[in-house]
Amino acid sequence: VQDAFARGGDGMFSVGSEDDEDIYHLSRRNFRLNGRVHALILLRQLTAELRRQEVQTWKKVIRVISHELNNSLAPIASLAHSGAELLRREQYERLPSALATIEERARHLEGFIRDYARFAKLPAPRLAPVEWSRFIEQLRSQVAFSADLQPADGIARIDAAQLEQTLINLLKNAHESGSSPEEVRLTVRKLPESWRIEVLDRGSGMNAAVLANALLPFYSTKRHGTGLGLALAREIAEAHGGRIALLNREGGGLCVSMVLPDR
Ligand SMILES: Nc1ncnc2c1ncn2[C@@H]1O[C@H](COP(=O)(O)OP(=O)(O)O)[C@@H](O)[C@H]1O
Ligand SMILES: [Mg+2]
C-alpha cells in the first residue's frame, strides 16, 4: 500500500500472495473547502468486480468459439454423410460441390483459429525501416481503398507484417460500416515525433455504447464478427509504443486514428 501511495497518481495495486491476492484501485483528488485545499483519497477493492468481468469474458469467448465451430462443423458432418450416400448410390455428379463446400468450411475454420492464435500469442514487434509507398502498394493487393501519403516518400520503423494485419482489419471494418467503397480512405501524416495513420469511412459511425466497447476483445455487433479486429489493432499500436483512437466524423462515418512514434 505504501508503494502505491509513493508512486503518485491513480492506479491499481495488489496485496497478498498469488493465490490469495486482493486488487485495489487508488485515486486521489484535491478539493477546496472553506478556502483550504483538502486531499480526497479513495481506495476501492476491485477483486470481486474483476473476477466477475473475467468470468463474463470467458463465457463470451466460449460462446463465440462454439458458435463458430458449430457453424462449420455441422455442414461438414452433414455433407460428409450425404457424400457417402451419393457414392453408395453412384450419383457422382453432385459429389464435387459437396466436397468443395466441406473444403470451404474447413478453410474458414482454419482462418478463424489462426486469428485467435494470432491474438493470443502476438510476438513483440520487429521494427525495420519500411517505405510507406511500397507498404501501401502491398496493402492494396489485399483490400481496396484510396490513399494519401504526406510526405509521399516517407520511411517508418515498424513491424510491417503486424501493421499490415492491423490496417487490413481496419479497412475491412470500414467496408463493413455501410460506407460506399470510394469513401474508404487511408491517410499517413508525418508529425514532429510520430506518424499519424488514419482509416476513414462514411458509414454508420459508432453510437456511445459501441464506442465504449469496440476496442474490447470479442466485442462485436456483427452476426459473424469475431470482435478481434480493433482489439488486435490496439495491442499492435501499443506494442509499437503508440496508441489508437476512435472518432465519429463530422458529416458521418468513423475515423480510426493511430499514432506511432517515429524512431
Ligand atoms: N468503421 C467502423 N464503423 C462503424 N462501426 C465500426 C467500425 N469498425 C468497427 N466498428 C464496430 O466495432 C465492432 C468491433 O469491431 P472489430 O473489433 O473489428 O470486430 P468485428 O469486425 O469482428 O465485429 C464492430 O462489430 C462494429 O460494431
Ligand atoms: Mg472487424
Side-chain angles (χ1 to χ4, degrees), residues 48-66 116 119 213 215-220 226-228 231 234:
E49 175 59 20
L50 287 177
R51 292 236 168 84
R52 216 162 26 241
Q53 286 191 8
E54 199 176 331
V55 171
Q56 287 308 323
T57 306
W58 272 112
K59 284 190 182 167
K60 181 136 198 221
V61 176
I62 293 166
R63 206 160 50 228
V64 172
I65 293 179
S66 32
Y116 271 83
F119 183 71
N213 291 301
L215 289 164
L216 297 177
F218 310 113
Y219 178 83
S220 175
T226 57
L228 286 177
R234 172 158 76 176

Side-chain angles (χ1 to χ4, degrees), residues 4-103:
F5 273 87
R7 227 177 296 137
D10 296 354
M12 298 224 275
F13 63 96
S14 55
V15 176
S17 62
E18 207 169 304
D19 302 332
D20 182 27
E21 70 173 4
D22 269 315
I23 299 161
Y24 292 89
H25 186 262
L26 166 68
S27 52
R28 277 180 284 199
R29 296 290 178 274
N30 290 327
F31 65 97
R32 230 169 233 289
L33 190 63
N34 297 332
R36 287 179 56 191
V37 178
H38 294 256
L40 174 69
I41 295 174
L42 187 65
L43 265 176
R44 265 186 308 162
Q45 201 194 28
L46 288 182
T47 318
E49 175 59 20
L50 287 177
R51 292 236 168 84
R52 216 162 26 241
Q53 286 191 8
E54 199 176 331
V55 171
Q56 287 308 323
T57 306
W58 272 112
K59 284 190 182 167
K60 181 136 198 221
V61 176
I62 293 166
R63 206 160 50 228
V64 172
I65 293 179
S66 32
H67 176 257
E68 203 65 27
L69 286 179
N70 201 43
N71 266 354
S72 292
L73 288 178
I76 287 174
S78 111
L79 282 166
H81 177 83
S82 26
E85 192 62 17
L86 290 171
L87 262 181
R88 197 180 56 79
R89 292 197 227 133
E90 299 182 13
Q91 295 175 344
Y92 301 123
E93 63 287 357
R94 280 170 53 205
L95 264 180
S97 112
L99 288 173
T101 310
I102 290 177
E103 176 175 354

Side-chain angles (χ1 to χ4, degrees), residues 173-174 176-177 201 204-206 210 214 219-222 225-231 254:
N173 280 345
E176 290 162 0
S177 70
D201 65 59
S204 61
M206 289 188 177
V210 177
Y219 178 83
S220 175
T221 59
K222 298 171 192 167
T226 57
L228 286 177
L230 286 173
L254 193 77

